[in-house]
Amino acid sequence: RVPWLRGHADGFVGESPNTAMTDVLGGIEFKTDSTTWQPWTDVPVHYQAQAQTYMLLSGCERWWFWVGFAGYKVETYELHADRKDQALILNAMRRF
C-alpha cells in the first residue's frame, strides 16, 4: 500500500497456527507495564498510533494488546482500525 512504510508486528491472530495471512483475524502486540499497578482505562495513544500503523500496513481491521501489569495481572485490549487516525499518521510520516 505505502512502499516506504515499514513495521514489525509482534504477531497475527488466526483460528489456528496454520491460518493464512489472508485469513487472519487481526494483529497482536505484547506489552508490559511495570509503572502502574492498575490496568489501562484505554490503550495509550502511542500504542494506538503503533497499532493503527500496523493495521494500515497489513489491512487488518483489529489489533489486540496483551499487557502484563507489574508482573501480577494480564489484560487484553482490542483496538479497531480508524481511517481518520491512519490518515493523520500517514500524513505526518510523509511530512517527516
Side-chain angles (χ1 to χ4, degrees):
R1 293 180 170 198
V2 183
W4 49 265
L5 187 57
R6 302 282 187 270
H8 189 270
D10 286 348
F12 292 92
V13 177
E15 292 288 335
S16 76
N18 299 322
T19 300
M21 191 59 198
T22 54
D23 297 326
V24 299
L25 302 172
I28 190 162
E29 288 297 310
F30 300 98
K31 304 292 185 192
T32 59
D33 186 337
S34 60
T35 61
T36 178
W37 291 91
Q38 297 298 320
W40 301 333
T41 303
D42 293 306
V43 175
V45 175
H46 58 285
Y47 290 148
Q48 289 184 38
Q50 178 185 18
Q52 292 297 337
T53 301
Y54 291 162
M55 285 186 270
L56 178 64
L57 281 166
S58 67
C60 292
E61 294 294 317
R62 293 182 291 179
W63 215 265
W64 287 276
F65 292 86
W66 191 84
V67 186
F69 290 95
Y72 82 99
K73 184 172 179 103
V74 174
E75 293 287 335
T76 303
Y77 299 86
E78 184 176 351
L79 191 66
H80 292 269
D82 185 315
R83 301 293 177 242
K84 289 181 183 178
D85 282 352
Q86 291 175 5
L88 287 170
I89 291 165
L90 189 56
N91 288 334
M93 288 181 182
R94 281 188 176 123
R95 285 194 315 270
F96 180 74

